[in-house]
Amino acid sequence: MYQDIKIAASDGVCAVVGPLGPELFEKNCARFIDGFWVTIELILFASIIGLGIALVAVLARVSGNRFFSTLAYIYIYVFRGTPLLVQLWIFYFGLGGLGEEGLGPLLWTFFKDGWNVGLLVLTLNTGAYVAEILRGGIVNVPRGQMEAALAYGMTWLQAMRRIVLPQAFKIAWPAYGNEVILLLKGSALISTITVLDLMGQTRTIFARSYDLQIYVYAAILYLLLVGVITFVFRRIEMRLQG
């Protein structure tokens, strides 16, 4: 059902937009739009799941519990301190290279699919960055508010959920929007592990035509996505400030 909707949407978009562009774009419009949807899916799922991971990581980081704080610090340090491309290749070619015998049937089913690995790495990567962004927001919330909440009888988690995190989100929101844009641009590397996202489709089309204009069309589509993300985040920021 979902695939049928995507195909119908792609056909509809190409029927309207295709004739307006050059012949090369019209000819490959369906591939561009298919890759466009894959990129949107990856960014959407990675952003949502990554935000959940970031919340857990930042709470562990500021909890005061040495064990959980250390685990969160190691996770954040590793994924912020290594290139996204290296992470992708370690998970896909490294772990995936172990095969079914090394990973077992269940894990092999997951790691043999480039889309799954790409989503996993993007999620873990953005989760680490967002955790640090949120930590910066938490640090900027006056410490007295946490002390007052605890004195009022709230638990530490209740105080974080009701008092500190809402303010931290408001402070960190612009930086979080920038992180989502960086995630979008970083997602182009997913094409190196056989995923036919927007960049993957672009590379496939270029391999057949050798026309550099293909990358101009891809750049326009990426700019369109960035514009939509920027608009959405600014609208939400205005509501938070209002």
Side-chain angles (χ1 to χ4, degrees):
M1 180 66 179
Y2 178 61
Q3 290 297 327
D4 292 338
I5 294 174
K6 285 174 60 178
I7 292 172
S10 297
D11 291 342
V13 170
C14 287
V16 175
V17 177
L20 301 177
E23 181 181 350
L24 184 61
F25 177 81
E26 183 179 6
K27 180 181 177 182
N28 296 284
C29 179
R31 283 185 172 273
F32 275 119
I33 301 304
D34 287 345
F36 190 73
W37 294 135
V38 172
T39 295
I40 291 175
E41 289 172 346
L42 285 169
I43 297 305
L44 184 61
F45 289 136
S47 297
I48 294 172
I49 302 171
L51 181 58
I53 292 174
L55 283 170
V56 174
V58 74
L59 289 176
R61 187 86 167 83
V62 301
S63 65
N65 183 297
R66 179 171 292 184
F67 176 74
F68 290 119
S69 180
T70 301
L71 283 181
Y73 174 79
I74 292 172
Y75 157 64
I76 292 169
Y77 181 79
V78 168
F79 279 92
R80 290 179 72 238
T82 55
L84 178 59
L85 182 62
V86 172
Q87 296 166 19
L88 284 168
W89 284 26
I90 287 175
F91 276 83
Y92 186 72
F93 296 111
L95 291 177
L98 297 175
E100 187 173 359
E101 293 182 0
L103 293 174
L106 184 61
L107 287 177
W108 171 240
T109 300
F110 180 88
F111 279 96
K112 71 179 181 180
D113 190 322
W115 193 94
N116 292 336
V117 176
L119 177 61
L120 174 64
V121 174
L122 286 178
T123 299
L124 293 174
N125 184 274
T126 193
Y129 279 95
V130 175
E132 277 298 284
I133 290 171
L134 289 178
R135 190 174 74 87
I138 290 172
V139 168
N140 281 282
V141 175
R143 190 172 182 179
Q145 296 194 25
M146 171 62 82
E147 295 172 352
L150 295 176
Y152 185 74
M154 293 184 186
T155 65
W156 184 84
L157 278 176
Q158 287 176 330
M160 288 295 295
R161 180 170 60 88
R162 298 177 181 177
I163 307 296
V164 178
L165 281 178
Q167 297 180 73
F169 264 107
K170 186 175 180 179
I171 295 169
W173 190 256
Y176 177 52
N178 290 335
E179 165 54 24
V180 174
I181 292 173
L182 290 174
L183 177 67
L184 168 63
K185 293 190 287 186
S187 71
L189 295 173
I190 299 296
S191 62
T192 64
I193 57 170
T194 72
V195 178
L196 292 176
D197 65 335
L198 178 54
M199 182 53 66
Q201 293 285 12
T202 301
R203 292 174 61 183
T204 301
I205 298 168
F206 178 75
R208 297 176 178 179
S209 65
Y210 293 100
D211 192 328
L212 287 173
Q213 290 184 43
I214 292 296
Y215 287 100
V216 175
Y217 307 145
I220 292 172
L221 291 174
Y222 275 113
L223 285 172
L224 177 62
L225 274 177
V226 169
V228 171
I229 292 171
T230 302
F231 174 78
V232 170
F233 272 84
R234 283 184 177 172
R235 293 291 294 180
I236 296 175
E237 184 181 352
M238 289 171 62
R239 282 183 170 270
L240 290 175
Q241 292 177 348

